[in-house]
Amino acid sequence: FVIRVAGNVLDTDEVGSVESGLAHVHTPIFVVLGHTQCGAVTTATKFVQSGKQPLERNIPPLLDNIFPAVHKAMKDHPDKHGTEIVPYAIEENVWQGIQDLFMKSPISRDLVNDGKVKVIGAIYDVSNGHIDWLPEEKVHQILKKVEANPNRAIEAMAI
């Protein structure tokens, strides 16, 4: 079950697709797969750093999911500037996607908590095809943090 979107963001349509895959198709593993040289993360980074950049009308709503990852990467790596921050923002964006999924999808949280689904983060290196699997423990930390967040979605069912 594959879902592709620029910047591997998890907004409403993507989260709905994930829920369909996990809850109805019973996909046992969900991988948020970022990749090196990601154009969406690079554009979001340039936008955050410059404070302005002309973008087509439908791109800002896509990038707004990536901005928190860029800000966190910049905060955690104050010694990196310009495009040097992009690799860090790419990894943070994977974590951001997992957090967004858990914030918006009670059923995804439940399936992970019940041990029926694994959520994993990874980064694909486009230069050599290598996949760097990120620590699973971080997924559990994110899930625990989201479970404590009063702003998380609570109702799993729409009707």
Side-chain angles (χ1 to χ4, degrees), residues 1 11 16-17 27 71 73 85 133 149 151 153 159:
F1 199 92
D11 222 337
S17 296
T27 303
H71 287 291
I85 201 69
W133 298 97
N149 188 327
N151 296 321
I159 50 175

Side-chain angles (χ1 to χ4, degrees), residues 6-155:
N8 54 273
V9 300
L10 281 127
D11 222 337
T12 303
D13 292 342
E14 296 81 20
V15 171
S17 296
V18 172
E19 288 179 339
S20 178
L22 299 182
H24 297 277
V25 180
H26 306 291
T27 303
I29 298 174
F30 176 64
V31 179
V32 177
L33 182 63
H35 66 87
T36 59
Q37 303 173 28
C38 178
V41 174
T42 300
T43 299
T45 301
K46 288 178 182 176
F47 189 88
V48 167
Q49 290 176 339
S50 71
K52 60 183 175 186
Q53 181 178 344
L55 298 170
E56 292 76 6
R57 69 178 300 113
N58 294 296
I59 293 181
L62 175 77
L63 298 182
D64 69 358
N65 291 72
I66 302 171
F67 293 153
V70 173
H71 287 291
K72 183 161 186 337
M74 291 171 64
K75 178 182 169 220
D76 291 352
H77 303 278
D79 57 320
K80 304 296 180 189
H81 304 285
T83 57
E84 291 177 322
I85 201 69
V86 172
Y88 301 99
I90 288 169
E91 181 174 339
E92 287 301 331
N93 192 50
V94 169
W95 300 127
Q96 184 65 50
I98 292 170
Q99 179 178 316
D100 290 345
L101 172 67
F102 289 154
M103 283 294 292
K104 296 173 184 179
S105 177
I107 190 63
S108 296
R109 293 193 311 265
D110 292 346
L111 289 167
V112 171
N113 281 326
D114 292 344
K116 295 178 180 175
V117 168
K118 281 181 108 172
V119 174
I120 300 171
I123 299 175
Y124 173 77
D125 188 327
V126 299
S127 71
N128 60 22
H130 176 77
I131 295 177
D132 181 21
W133 298 97
L134 301 176
E136 285 185 54
E137 179 55 35
K138 178 104 180 210
V139 174
H140 298 292
Q141 291 169 359
I142 293 169
L143 180 56
K144 185 176 180 180
K145 179 181 169 187
V146 168
E147 292 283 20
N149 188 327
N151 296 321
R152 74 193 184 284
I154 301 295
E155 294 296 324

